Amino acid sequence: MLKNISALAAGLLASLAVWAAPTVEMTTNLGKITLELFPEKAPKTVEIFLYNAKHGFYESTIFHRVINGFMIQGGGFSTAMEEKKVLTPALQNEATNGMENDRGTVAMARTQDPHSARVQFFINLKDNDFLNHRTSADPRGWGYTVFGKVTQGMDVVDKIAKVPTGNAGYYQDVPTTPVVIQSVKIISEK
């Protein structure tokens, strides 16, 4: 009987491991941030984010837009404010997934086109309800796809939020001293 219970427990643990959320560790020059991703809520977004992480795309990119009390955005520019060449396709917006842009959540940045997100992401510094999905009938109501949350390192996120910013060319809110994403390492995929 004890053997059967042990086998059952081992099987349950294996099942839980399959359903565990993918986790990544983002190392910046200001500290580490751990993100839990939500593939069940934003499958394509998580797939592309993990693909880019696996292939080193985010290494040596920066948080290029920092607005204290709003969000920090990164993942697409070098320290020279040159946009990295993106090899992945634009994503279908998954903001209808019921996830909200609350403090500590991670969402995809995009242009006015609701289906233009590719590699850039942002971490919400507060609850930003106006970024949530409202309607698919109007491009302004699509919202921004939340695909993860910070589980460790929110103190690092808050530290990044407080760095001095200025203009760099026609870009605003750029840290005057680069906040560099040194690596995004996948801790667990499932």
Side-chain angles (χ1 to χ4, degrees):
M1 172 115 170
L2 187 55
K3 191 175 185 180
N4 290 341
I5 291 172
S6 294
L8 180 62
L12 285 173
L13 286 175
S15 295
L16 288 174
V18 168
W19 295 107
T23 306
V24 299
E25 182 180 75
M26 182 179 298
T27 302
T28 75
N29 59 331
L30 294 181
K32 293 183 179 187
I33 304 164
T34 302
L35 307 174
E36 176 185 326
L37 307 180
F38 306 137
E40 72 286 354
K41 295 290 189 175
K44 282 297 185 189
T45 304
V46 169
E47 178 186 336
I48 293 296
F49 184 83
L50 288 173
Y51 175 87
N52 284 313
K54 272 184 203 170
H55 291 88
F57 180 86
Y58 293 115
E59 290 176 12
S60 300
T61 61
I62 60 170
F63 281 99
H64 65 275
R65 186 170 174 229
V66 172
I67 304 174
N68 195 9
F70 176 37
M71 59 90 221
I72 63 173
Q73 180 177 334
F77 286 86
S78 71
T79 56
M81 284 301 292
E82 294 169 346
E83 196 162 4
K84 267 188 105 166
K85 183 177 180 182
V86 179
L87 302 175
T88 52
L91 289 161
Q92 184 70 25
N93 189 308
E94 296 179 302
T96 59
N97 64 11
M99 301 299 297
E100 297 189 345
N101 283 275
D102 292 337
R103 176 172 164 75
T105 58
V106 185
M108 290 305 286
R110 61 174 176 78
T111 67
Q112 296 291 338
D113 176 352
H115 308 292
S116 61
R118 296 185 71 173
V119 294
Q120 292 183 34
F121 58 89
F122 61 92
I123 302 173
N124 289 289
L125 298 172
K126 68 177 191 74
D127 294 356
N128 289 310
D129 296 341
F130 71 98
L131 298 178
N132 296 335
H133 174 76
R134 293 182 303 284
T135 176
S136 301
D138 179 351
R140 292 171 296 182
W142 262 98
Y144 292 77
T145 302
V146 171
F147 68 98
K149 70 177 179 181
V150 175
T151 57
Q152 293 178 9
M154 200 60 196
D155 58 323
V156 175
V157 172
D158 290 333
K159 187 188 314 183
I160 293 169
K162 291 178 175 63
V163 300
T165 61
N167 295 337
Y170 60 101
Y171 296 102
Q172 299 175 327
D173 307 306
V174 178
T176 53
T177 300
V179 178
V180 181
I181 299 170
Q182 297 164 332
S183 67
V184 178
K185 177 179 146 190
I186 298 169
I187 297 171
S188 70
E189 286 197 57
K190 290 194 179 225

